[in-house]
Amino acid sequence: MEVPSDDAVLIEKGKKAGDPHVITVNCPDKTGLACDIFHVILDYGLYITKGDVSTDGKWCYMVFWVVPHSQFIIRWTHLKNRLLSVCPSCSVSFYWNQQQSKSCPVYLLKFFSLDRKGLLHDVNQVLCELELTIQRVKVTTTPDGRVLDLFFVTDKLAWLFVEVEDMARFCLMSIRELLHTKQRQDEICEQLHAVLGESCISCELQLAGPEYECLQGMSSLSPVIADELFHCEISDKEIHSQALSPDMMKLKRTDVMIDNSLSPAHSLLQVHCVDHKGLLYDVMRTLKDCNIQIAYGRFSPVTNGHRDLDLFIQQKDGKKIVDPEKQSALCFHLKVEMLHPLRVIIANRGPDTELLVANPVELSGKGRPRVFYDITHALKALGICIFSAEIGRYSTSDREWEIYRFLLEENCKFQLSNMMARNHIVDTVRRTLMGW
């Protein structure tokens, strides 16, 4: 039985401020490994400036140059352990429990406070800095101006498994204080009290009960809203809130081509598109869900806001993609994911105004990192208060989506019945999500 090697992931920090950090991954290969690596990198608020991927089908070598995309302090040791966790077993390596949300205990953080602008984002930032994953959330405002937040969370680094040579069992190891310990619970509540001050009325953390299962789904979407939110292609003439604003129409200028003339064994996939936060993850997520394997890939630096990707790929059976219909289908899927990796609309919900954001869920069940954080950050910057919020899953005929729903409060700056104000909110939220 092989044991993990700490050398599977190496991180070389930049020599001076502003220099990119270099992440090297050298481990056995698997379909979708690049997607899993990019998911972790995006989750830690890092942006890939350039990179290379190479594999012989059994062993993979990757190198990426990354820079921070946010103000969070990067815990490099934790990042390395997370990257090791998605690498297949090699000589001594950790691997991550891919069903974390199902096998790790889910805890309920119940938080009661006075309402104020930016409250939800400030709480969310504390949870991100403590490296807690928000599985579900339910936020409501009481008539007397107080807020009850229910966060269902797991610890990103709570459980790792170590496979040890010459042992016929797995050793379960915690690499940090677990959520069930009083010390860990006190740490979370103390951090929230420190950030929120006197507005914090009470805070408690406990193992989630049946209420978590009740929030697995979410309130229904009307057919009109569902059609607008999940529409797979947006024409230039559409005028609803999902339509792109003029300065984002450049997203439509995406070129995706497949060339079979340069390699006897691989198809060359070439992508030229506008860069955005999580672009490489979106491409790799699509290829992973389509069972496409990458033999070699180069991610060039951004030039004039655009990025070029060159990927030599194969189908799962090891053959080139020669069927014109399969080529067209793959190119179409990639274009849709790059045009709208996240869907953002504003709609009426009875007498209220609701902001909805949707992102596709991987077939493995993983959602996109940091979406909730970016949405609340954008709304805080706009000065818009959130009356209620919820996160849930929604299934369409062909895929599962993660849905974020926010009931917004009107203020003197934004009359939410005004179409220009609504479009401004949608554009600001989408730009924040895209890293623009």
Side-chain angles (χ1 to χ4, degrees), residues 107-377:
Y107 282 78
L108 168 60
L109 173 64
K110 188 181 297 184
F111 181 76
F112 194 50
S113 70
L114 300 176
D115 195 13
R116 63 170 174 79
K117 291 181 181 178
L119 173 67
L120 187 55
H121 177 70
D122 293 342
V123 174
N124 192 10
Q125 182 164 341
V126 172
L127 299 184
C128 287
E129 290 174 349
L130 290 169
E131 298 191 63
L132 299 176
T133 298
I134 301 172
Q135 302 293 344
R136 296 288 183 272
V137 65
K138 184 73 174 180
V139 177
T140 53
T141 303
T142 62
D144 60 354
R146 302 184 182 193
V147 176
L148 176 63
D149 294 348
L150 302 178
F151 288 92
F152 295 88
V153 300
T154 54
D155 196 328
K156 292 178 184 177
L157 299 176
W159 303 102
L160 289 175
F161 293 91
V162 184
E163 187 178 7
V164 184
E165 191 173 12
D166 298 326
M167 295 181 65
R169 63 185 179 85
F170 291 110
C171 299
L172 188 61
M173 180 183 75
S174 168
I175 65 172
R176 63 186 299 180
E177 291 293 333
L178 300 180
L179 290 180
H180 70 265
T181 65
K182 186 176 187 304
Q183 180 180 352
R184 181 72 168 130
Q185 295 175 13
D186 289 345
E187 175 194 8
I188 294 171
C189 292
E190 286 171 6
Q191 290 267 25
L192 287 169
H193 278 287
V195 171
L196 303 176
E198 296 180 356
S199 63
C200 179
I201 299 173
S202 66
C203 174
E204 59 183 74
L205 186 66
Q206 63 191 42
L207 192 64
E211 65 269 25
Y212 177 66
E213 298 300 326
C214 295
L215 288 178
Q216 290 291 343
M218 65 186 317
S219 50
S220 61
L221 298 174
S222 72
V224 174
I225 296 301
D227 180 66
E228 182 174 355
L229 193 59
F230 305 123
H231 195 51
C232 66
E233 193 171 14
I234 307 298
S235 71
D236 294 350
K237 296 181 180 180
E238 287 182 298
I239 58 174
H240 50 56
S241 58
Q242 174 78 351
L244 297 175
S245 56
D247 62 333
M248 294 179 66
M249 289 306 296
K250 56 188 178 181
L251 276 173
K252 285 184 166 290
R253 305 190 191 104
T254 295
D255 296 319
V256 181
M257 299 174 55
I258 294 179
D259 187 345
N260 281 312
S261 65
L262 298 178
S263 170
H266 302 89
S267 299
L268 172 61
L269 174 66
Q270 294 180 300
V271 177
H272 175 78
C273 63
V274 173
D275 191 38
H276 68 255
K277 181 168 63 177
L279 168 65
L280 298 181
Y281 168 69
D282 291 325
V283 173
M284 296 303 154
R285 168 176 55 81
T286 305
L287 295 179
K288 178 183 178 181
D289 286 351
C290 293
N291 281 320
I292 300 296
Q293 299 174 329
I294 301 172
Y296 173 79
R298 170 157 290 178
F299 317 115
S300 302
V302 174
T303 303
N304 296 324
H306 288 72
R307 191 187 279 270
D308 290 300
L309 313 179
D310 296 289
L311 306 171
F312 284 91
I313 59 176
Q314 290 178 326
Q315 300 177 97
K316 191 175 183 179
D317 59 8
K319 296 180 181 179
K320 301 167 67 171
I321 307 174
V322 295
D323 185 339
E325 291 187 3
K326 290 183 178 179
Q327 291 183 16
S328 298
L330 179 59
C331 291
F332 173 77
H333 286 315
L334 286 167
K335 285 184 177 181
V336 168
E337 295 306 322
M338 284 181 280
L339 177 63
H340 282 301
L342 299 120
R343 315 296 178 89
V344 186
I345 66 171
I346 280 187
N348 293 326
R349 186 175 178 182
D352 300 312
T353 301
E354 183 175 45
L355 173 72
L356 299 99
V357 178
N359 63 265
V361 174
E362 293 180 33
L363 291 180
S364 65
K366 287 191 294 188
R368 189 186 189 89
R370 296 205 176 213
V371 176
F372 191 63
Y373 176 87
D374 285 340
I375 298 169
T376 56
H377 176 70

Side-chain angles (χ1 to χ4, degrees), residues 41-42 44-48 66-72 74 275-278 370 373-374 431-436:
I41 290 175
L42 181 60
Y44 273 78
L46 293 170
Y47 170 78
I48 299 173
V66 302
V67 294
H69 206 297
S70 67
Q71 300 301 316
F72 283 119
I74 308 297
D275 191 38
H276 68 255
K277 181 168 63 177
R370 296 205 176 213
Y373 176 87
D374 285 340
R431 283 183 154 278
T432 303
L433 290 164
M434 301 288 272
W436 293 342

